[in-house]
Amino acid sequence: MTEPAGVVDLRDQERLDRAVRLALDAERSGNLPVAAVIALGDKIVAEAANAVLVPVFNPGRHAEIRALAAVPESLWPRAAELTCYTTLEPCVMCFGALIAHGVGRVVFGASDPMSGGTAIIGQLPEYAAAKARAIAWVGPALPDICDALRDRAFERSQAARRQRRESAASR
């Protein structure tokens, strides 16, 4: 359900590059290397990085969710004109949030074969599937860089999950 891989234009490349820089900052701070940038026309209106692990574990602090929350309220009537650029194909939670908010276009750097949301479009109820199909899903648009970020995010997520389990078992 996604368009062919590849960045559509220089503006897409610049915004994905910004998301990569934010993802690397998140990784340096101890979080997963995932980030999102939301733009309207020529202007970046919101951006955020993953903050699931630091400062404290919070499974809802995904980059896309945080970026959506940072979009100024005055811009929501123009949601269909927004583009979300993210280093990783949105997970099912973020995919649902992007659909619910009516974002018009999503450009992702790397596919997420474990939990990427675009694979479920055909299994959604028709009203939700129609909304999902109305979004232009573009990606993977930057796999040379973002695949490595995805792999490190998966590794760090698994390590953090093991650590939480071990910590809970020792209590």
Side-chain angles (χ1 to χ4, degrees):
M1 200 71 201
T2 63
E3 292 179 20
V7 174
V8 173
D9 61 23
L10 181 59
R11 184 166 56 181
D12 289 336
Q13 179 68 48
E14 290 170 350
R15 290 169 179 173
L16 278 173
D17 288 345
R18 174 66 184 151
V20 167
R21 287 192 301 277
L22 291 169
L24 292 170
D25 289 346
E27 183 176 39
R28 280 189 287 276
S29 75
N31 279 298
L32 306 181
V34 179
V37 171
I38 298 178
L40 177 64
D42 291 332
K43 184 177 180 191
I44 292 174
V45 298
E47 59 184 30
N50 178 282
V52 168
L53 302 176
V54 176
V56 295
F57 178 71
N58 181 328
R61 287 194 306 239
H62 288 212
E64 298 90 341
I65 300 295
R66 296 180 69 223
L68 286 168
V71 172
E73 184 178 348
S74 63
L75 297 180
W76 283 113
R78 299 177 65 189
E81 299 173 53
L82 296 174
T83 298
C84 178
Y85 297 88
T86 181
T87 55
L88 182 61
E89 177 184 355
C91 71
V92 173
M93 177 179 71
C94 296
F95 172 83
L98 290 160
I99 291 170
H101 286 80
V103 171
R105 185 167 177 256
V106 178
V107 179
F108 55 91
S111 293
D112 182 347
M114 294 179 69
S115 63
T118 61
I120 68 165
I121 292 174
Q123 286 75 49
L124 294 172
E126 183 50 37
Y127 71 92
K131 288 179 80 171
R133 286 190 300 268
I135 298 172
W137 300 94
V138 181
L142 196 58
D144 293 349
I145 296 170
C146 293
D147 283 0
L149 294 175
R150 176 201 58 214
D151 295 346
R152 293 199 309 269
F154 288 165
E155 290 170 11
R156 182 168 284 187
S157 179
Q158 292 299 320
R161 186 172 289 124
R162 280 191 301 277
Q163 185 178 14
R164 285 192 306 277
R165 281 190 205 128
E166 291 168 4
S167 177
S170 68
R171 289 186 211 159

